[in-house]
Amino acid sequence: MAMKTEILTLLRESGDYISGQELCGRFHVSRTAVWKVMKQLQQEGYIIEAVRNKGYMLKENPDVLTRSELKSRIHNRWAGNEIYFYEETGSTNIDAKRLGEEGAPHGTVVAADKQNSGRGRRGRTWESPAGKDIYFTILLRPEFPPDKAAGLTLVMALSVVQAIEEECGMEAGIKWPNDVVMNGKKVCGILTELTTETDYIQYVVTGVGINVNLEVMPEEIDETATSLLLEGGKRIGRAGLLQKVLKKFEGNYEKYAKSLDMALLEDEYNARLVNRDRQVRVLDPKGEWEGIARGINASGELLVEKETGETVEVYAGEVSVRGLYGYV
Ligand code: ATP
């Protein structure tokens, strides 16, 4: 870990003054070198107080999204242990695929403050303005067959909702398969893409966009999208939330990989499913139809009950589901 990152971790974890001398001794550098790091951190937005004979203290940790901030928070077994951060990029999924080709390890994360060509399913645009939201992609190298990869989208959706609950104290729901919603509007979208080699997975990338501190929605999505700030009325630290999502994902992924289905996560997922017991319209390219959503099964398929009483297992790859009177 770079000195700056380590100093940031020490300041945050101690919550108290740390003497300049102690830091000099620890890193074998001069007082001026320590002071320079503090200046850099202050320029990035951290409020650090320097008091003679006491040392330095982190008074406020504003919503800074940088590599150091992420590094200083993420201490997982594999999710996010390698992290790339860009102020601006085309799409974190594309970056992660490139890293996948280059042999980056399982759990590598690419995060960005702004995306210039963020995408959703079927190539649709994901609005990704700067300074407000979270855009990240995790690169995975699962040892299971390709047809099990679609479930990772569900695993991520559950992880995002759990992280919002724990980190922000807010309730969110899942709109099967891949959207996180609040008040009937989308706060997060997830896109999983797969690269296979005949019948095994070379790598998977799961990309996530979370609307965090956006005060005004871009016009194109104003009716169907919202942000954590708009719903909860308070600003959320993005790095802390991202860390929590990764931590939850690591645990949930391991459960998924153990049973190779949603069996260990199904109840947690269904408990948060907003479409549950609601009338939905299944936008199947082969023909749209309606029924009542009953929850997912262990394979991650949505069980939709038709008027005839027949229950159909809807597979996420093919369709979108809509509420009868709107998006949910
Ligand atoms: P559905 O299943 O509801 O049709 P989806 O899950 O397939 O949607 P995606 O393709 O993942 O949706 O996301 C792209 C869509 O999300 C866009 O067409 C747009 O309507 C909407 N969108 C784009 N940017 C954002 C954003 N920042 N927040 C919320 N919604 C967005």
Side-chain angles (χ1 to χ4, degrees), residues 1-7 27 67-68 71:
M1 232 192 264
M3 180 164 85
K4 187 167 93 179
T5 307
E6 243 179 280
I7 288 182
F27 296 102
R67 187 167 186 279
S68 310
K71 272 266 153 241

Side-chain angles (χ1 to χ4, degrees), residues 119-129 133 135 175-179 186-191 209-211 214 217-218 220-221 224-226 283 319-322 327:
R119 289 283 174 266
R121 297 199 295 170
R122 293 178 282 264
R124 289 182 295 190
T125 303
W126 187 262
E127 302 286 335
S128 313
D133 298 335
Y135 317 108
K175 175 178 167 288
W176 182 90
N178 66 332
D179 292 336
K186 175 142 73 170
V187 278
C188 163
I190 298 163
L191 176 66
I210 310 176
N211 300 330
L214 215 59
M217 287 294 131
E220 297 78 2
I221 53 169
T224 53
T226 188
L283 309 181
V319 298
S320 291
V321 166
R322 288 273 180 280
Y327 161 73

